[in-house]
Amino acid sequence: IVTNSLNDYPGGTRLGFGTMVATADGVLSTGDVLIDRGTLRLQSSSIIDDAASLVIQGTGDEEVDLEFDGTDIVGALSFDDGATVEAPGSVCGAIGSRAPNQSTFLDGRGFLQVFQEAAVPEPSTLALSLLGLMSMVASPRSRNRRRS
């Protein structure tokens, strides 16, 4: 199956067998991508939605060919049918690639990176930071008053 036009169907995409070639952004809709068996060929680095999960069953009959230069961001990534997921920020690639995390389920020159939200400081950390900033601003003013 070759899919090369925008799809807006609800839900995810499931590959049960065979080969699916995804050639353009948005062809897999915005849902999760599940691979039970077969090969998914990604020919662009933004085919899978950034919030979608890529779940590979993990029996050895599955492969994702990353036929692009660069990195595709995914919401979550599992190589064992969802039992475990790669940590946020993890970069994964094929065996022998430059990726820190390599998998036999991946092939090609591209990379997958698990989305990582920006760190949000704890309220107490934020409050202490503001207090410190206020004291730094107030401190030079009090020194200038004493010199006059």
Side-chain angles (χ1 to χ4, degrees), residues 1 8 10 12 14 38-40 49-50 56 72 76 88 93 95 104 106 112 118-119 145:
I1 297 173
D8 59 358
R14 177 172 236 134
T39 300
L40 175 62
D49 189 76
D50 290 358
I56 299 169
D72 190 0
I95 299 294
T104 57
L106 302 176
L112 296 174
R145 287 184 195 152

Side-chain angles (χ1 to χ4, degrees), residues 2 23 37 54 69 81 94 110 143:
V2 176
T23 62
R37 289 181 177 216
L54 174 58
D69 293 316
D81 204 24
R143 279 191 227 150

Side-chain angles (χ1 to χ4, degrees), residues 125-138:
T125 303
L126 188 59
L128 285 173
S129 297
L130 288 173
L131 182 63
L133 181 62
M134 289 173 40
S135 67
M136 287 174 42
V137 170

Side-chain angles (χ1 to χ4, degrees), residues 25-113:
D25 300 349
V27 298
L28 298 180
S29 190
T30 58
D32 295 340
V33 178
L34 310 169
I35 303 175
D36 294 330
R37 289 181 177 216
T39 300
L40 175 62
R41 289 191 182 143
L42 302 176
Q43 295 184 337
S44 171
S45 64
S46 54
I47 290 177
I48 298 176
D49 189 76
D50 290 358
S53 298
L54 174 58
V55 179
I56 299 169
Q57 188 178 35
T59 63
D61 295 329
E62 315 86 1
E63 183 174 80
V64 178
D65 287 340
L66 306 172
E67 298 178 347
F68 56 83
D69 293 316
T71 304
D72 190 0
I73 295 175
V74 296
L77 178 60
S78 174
F79 298 112
D80 57 6
D81 204 24
T84 61
V85 294
E86 295 294 314
S90 295
V91 176
C92 301
I95 299 294
S97 70
R98 297 182 333 256
N101 303 300
Q102 300 178 11
S103 172
T104 57
F105 294 106
L106 302 176
D107 195 22
R109 63 188 183 277
F111 302 99
L112 296 174
Q113 181 174 11

